Amino acid sequence: MKISELITVLGFQVDDRELKRATSAVHEFKKLVAGIGIGYLMYQGAHAAATTAAAYQSSEAQFTTLLKSQVEAQKLMKDLFQYAKESTFEMTHVTKAQDILMSYGMEVGEAFEVMKRLGDVAGADAAAFSRLALATAQVYGKTRLMGEEQRQFLNARGGMLAKEVANMYFGGDRAKMEAAQRARKVSYGMMLAALRKLTDEGGRLY
């Protein structure tokens, strides 16, 4: 079935210019959706398809710059697309979180792992997902949890993460944890370990 015929069947009304954009977008997505399924793209209609493809191309270009390899960027985009399909988040939310983490120097594999775990913490809250990614990236960049990032965590559904750090390293005493934070003794490694425990099998958010 041609794209124009599919759009007619779905009941969408688009002009020739938008139809051409959608057709081009679908062709750009051909390799990506080959192993995943085209239904996710098609149900959104021609206009959404063009918008999604434009965002996809922009993200791929950004990841190509960060990874210095278009092949690796395309592989990452396929992994992100698969995660977006299975999660409560849209592709734009997922690529934004991954981009934030990598922009602070996090290696692609660790960033992908952390991004998915932060998605578990955020639940279905896309805004919290983005804020958690930024706070985590900043802790990674500074190697320590600072006051600014602690506030960001608490304002973005990160209270459980702070509680897990307190439980693991300070006997559950939040006051001791806050004192350690002020003394710059709460490391990124401690935050990552708490995040993993929280979201691994048996954890509160698994």
Side-chain angles (χ1 to χ4, degrees), residues 5-38:
E5 295 171 347
L6 177 60
I7 290 172
T8 301
V9 170
L10 292 174
F12 292 102
Q13 299 294 323
V14 295
D15 57 29
D16 290 342
R17 181 179 177 184
E18 192 169 38
L19 178 58
K20 289 179 180 179
R21 289 179 61 215
T23 302
S24 175
V26 170
H27 287 315
E28 289 292 334
F29 256 10
K30 184 177 180 181
K31 291 183 180 180
L32 178 66
V33 301
I36 299 174
I38 201 167

Side-chain angles (χ1 to χ4, degrees), residues 49-153:
T51 302
T52 301
Y56 162 79
Q57 290 173 333
S58 176
S59 294
E60 183 183 300
Q62 173 69 4
F63 290 131
T64 297
T65 299
L66 289 171
L67 294 169
K68 297 181 174 58
S69 169
Q70 186 176 27
V71 172
E72 291 300 315
Q74 290 172 343
K75 179 180 181 298
L76 173 60
M77 288 298 293
K78 185 171 182 178
D79 291 341
L80 293 172
F81 189 91
Q82 183 65 40
Y83 172 70
K85 184 183 176 186
E86 296 170 352
S87 75
T88 59
F89 301 108
E90 296 180 7
M91 183 65 169
T92 52
H93 303 144
V94 173
T95 55
K96 181 180 180 180
Q98 179 79 19
D99 181 38
I100 289 171
L101 293 167
M102 290 178 60
S103 293
Y104 277 76
M106 196 176 294
E107 183 270 332
V108 59
E110 181 176 347
F112 186 69
E113 175 205 346
V114 170
M115 180 273 297
K116 292 192 296 180
R117 293 179 185 275
L118 292 176
D120 292 339
V121 176
D125 189 334
F129 186 32
S130 180
R131 291 197 296 269
L132 285 169
L134 178 58
T136 302
Q138 290 173 336
V139 173
Y140 178 86
K142 296 175 181 177
T143 74
R144 294 288 184 272
L145 176 66
M146 307 297 282
E148 178 184 353
E149 288 71 45
Q150 183 172 351
R151 288 189 293 273
Q152 288 179 17
F153 278 119

